[in-house]
Amino acid sequence: MSDEKIKIRIITHEKVVFEQDVDEIYSVGIDGSFGVLKGHIPFITPLEIGVTKVVNDGIPEFIATMGGVFQFSDNHAVILTD
């Protein structure tokens, strides 16, 4: 992983469905939409059913998430979802 990227993993109860180094992450928590860039403070939030957007080198990719939990710490993001 590059020191200039965020490592994101999206995990269901069956397997890791997405794993990539990205520049930006956007999703929808129970308190509203949020975005994360490299160096963001650690946090954890429950997710609403919605779409998580990741951007890598200016190219967006969209992943449907059925609720779950988003956790961010030390430039590593984990989404646990159905």
Side-chain angles (χ1 to χ4, degrees):
M1 179 177 97
S2 168
D3 289 335
E4 299 178 14
K5 301 280 186 175
I6 298 168
K7 168 74 96 188
I8 182 169
R9 296 177 78 201
I10 300 177
I11 305 168
T12 69
H13 62 280
E14 295 177 355
K15 63 183 179 178
V16 175
V17 294
F18 184 85
E19 185 170 13
Q20 190 172 0
D21 295 341
V22 300
D23 299 311
E24 308 167 35
I25 303 169
Y26 302 94
S27 197
V28 182
I30 61 168
D31 293 325
S33 298
F34 64 89
V36 175
L37 300 174
K38 181 181 176 258
H40 196 287
I41 63 168
F43 78 101
I44 188 169
T45 187
L47 293 175
E48 290 284 351
I49 294 173
V51 175
T52 296
K53 174 179 149 182
V54 296
V55 180
N56 191 31
D57 297 327
I59 301 168
E61 190 167 346
F62 301 90
I63 303 111
T65 49
M66 302 304 292
V69 177
F70 179 92
Q71 178 181 2
F72 186 82
S73 180
D74 297 326
N75 292 321
H76 285 77
V78 175
I79 295 177
L80 302 173
T81 187
D82 289 335

